[in-house]
Amino acid sequence: MRTSTGATSYMLVYGTKAVIPAEVKIPSLRVIQEVKLDDADWIRVKQEQLILIDKRRMDTVCHGHLYQNRMSSAFNKRVKPRFTPRQLVLKNIFPHQEEAKGKFAPNWQGPYVVHKALSGGALILAEMDERVSMKPINSDAIKRYYA
């Protein structure tokens, strides 16, 4: 509520203008004029506030990275490798491959021997005559062969 002289209800009750909390943390020009800072002090205060904002932003980014690393390590701790070297496996035949000859063709080819298990679930396979394929394959396209 404003009166005709421009005074607000707050000013009539408390005798000063209302200051919102954001103006206290990051002073506006009105608050600075009331405190009567000179230009050099005002510039120094503004620079310190900007440096503090940048520092808090970097702290937040670092905290986010640390949190993601903790979460991924906690998850990966429980993940067990599905295949080990010298294990017999079958490889999936995808529809775009030459080996996919139609509806009644087999869906798996092999057996192969796991030559090496790479990080992230990729495998290097070797044929039964020990010829090693240099192309890694995702372990999702592999299933265990029981002989």
Side-chain angles (χ1 to χ4, degrees), residues 87-101 105-114 125-128 133 135 137 141-146:
Q87 194 173 25
L88 293 177
V89 295
L90 295 175
K91 182 168 68 167
N92 191 7
I93 299 174
F94 293 106
H96 67 278
Q97 290 178 314
E98 296 174 8
E99 291 85 5
K101 302 227 187 302
N107 295 330
W108 300 90
Q109 62 184 188
Y112 293 97
V113 177
V114 176
L125 300 180
E127 295 194 23
M128 294 303 285
S133 169
K135 185 176 176 183
I137 188 165
I142 303 294
K143 73 176 182 178
R144 191 161 180 196
Y145 178 72
Y146 298 96

Side-chain angles (χ1 to χ4, degrees), residues 53-67:
I53 289 171
D54 287 341
K55 182 183 179 305
R56 286 184 179 164
R57 186 176 295 136
M58 287 304 296
D59 288 346
T60 303
V61 168
C62 291
H63 183 274
H65 286 303
L66 290 173
Y67 177 75

Side-chain angles (χ1 to χ4, degrees), residues 27-29 32 37-47:
S28 66
L29 184 58
I32 291 171
L37 290 176
D38 63 354
D39 288 341
D41 288 340
W42 182 80
I43 291 172
R44 182 183 48 77
V45 168
K46 278 295 185 189
Q47 285 178 340

Side-chain angles (χ1 to χ4, degrees), residues 2 8-9 14-15 20 31 43 48 53 58 64 70 73 75 78 90 94 100 103 107 110 117 137-138 144:
R2 285 177 107 35
T8 63
S9 301
Y14 296 104
I20 61 174
V31 173
I43 291 172
E48 288 173 358
I53 289 171
M58 287 304 296
R70 281 196 312 265
S73 66
F75 175 79
R78 290 177 277 151
L90 295 175
F94 293 106
K103 185 175 183 177
N107 295 330
I137 188 165
N138 193 340
R144 191 161 180 196

